[in-house]
Amino acid sequence: MTDTASSLKSALRADMTAAMKAKDQLRLATLRMLLAAIQTEEVSGKEARELSDDEVIKVLSREAKKRGEAAEVYTENGRGELAAKEHAEARIIDEYLPMPLTDAELVDVVDTAIGRVADELGARPGPKNMGQVMKVATAIAAGKADGKRLSAAVRSRL
């Protein structure tokens, strides 16, 4: 393994081996699915590459979001057992994601982003500068807040 190898990816592999030994089928299937998603991401594009931990977190976040959306659809259609399975998979994925920001931390991130954009512009940014603020806030939050929550917080502070 190269030194750019993701330590998060290594942890997923080690936990998958442990799940095999423990005969924990749900965890095993979920971790296999995550590693497959990571591998798919690594070979997409012009050339294969090793993902960094930040890139792995983005893949895991995307997979967790898919589980949540699928669970909602199953619940709406009266398929509780399938919704429960999706929620269980999402909880396993969440173990590998950074702790989400609290509302207060989210406000701090947004205020910091607004401050940085204000420094660039020389004036307090308004709603028309939302894209610039979102770009800075997304970089600061680094996978600890989903885009929808971040966008709502930025909109309310501008």
Side-chain angles (χ1 to χ4, degrees):
M1 210 179 268
T2 62
D3 22 342
T4 60
S6 162
S7 58
L8 186 53
K9 190 170 146 188
S10 301
L12 289 166
R13 283 198 181 112
D15 290 351
M16 185 177 76
T17 304
M20 266 185 235
K21 290 177 181 172
K23 297 186 179 5
D24 184 343
Q25 294 305 316
L26 177 67
R27 181 173 287 277
L28 177 60
T30 303
L31 293 174
R32 277 186 175 147
M33 175 268 308
L34 291 175
L35 287 166
I38 292 166
Q39 187 160 8
T40 300
E41 187 73 21
E42 286 178 336
V43 298
S44 69
K46 292 196 186 317
E47 62 182 60
R49 62 194 172 82
E50 190 83 30
L51 296 182
S52 69
D53 271 351
D54 288 343
E55 292 169 316
V56 169
I57 286 172
K58 285 179 185 167
V59 172
L60 297 184
S61 295
R62 192 168 54 231
E63 292 299 319
K65 186 176 178 185
K66 284 182 194 175
R67 297 299 159 283
E69 290 169 354
E72 279 181 38
V73 170
Y74 286 139
T75 302
E76 288 169 10
N77 293 308
R79 301 295 306 268
E81 72 284 352
L82 293 173
K85 181 179 183 284
E86 295 292 336
H87 281 303
E89 287 179 0
R91 278 193 299 277
I92 291 170
I93 298 169
D94 286 345
E95 293 173 21
Y96 297 95
L97 292 171
M99 286 296 295
L101 296 173
T102 64
D103 290 339
E105 290 169 330
L106 192 63
V107 168
D108 288 344
V109 165
V110 171
D111 287 345
T112 302
I114 289 172
R116 288 185 187 172
V117 172
D119 289 345
E120 288 174 23
L121 297 174
R124 181 165 167 77
K128 70 179 192 295
N129 304 106
M130 183 162 172
Q132 291 171 285
V133 176
M134 276 298 294
K135 185 175 179 182
V136 174
T138 303
I140 297 170
K144 294 180 184 170
D146 75 335
K148 196 183 294 183
R149 246 182 101 206
L150 199 55
S151 174
V154 169
R155 197 171 292 114
S156 73
R157 304 291 286 175
L158 285 179

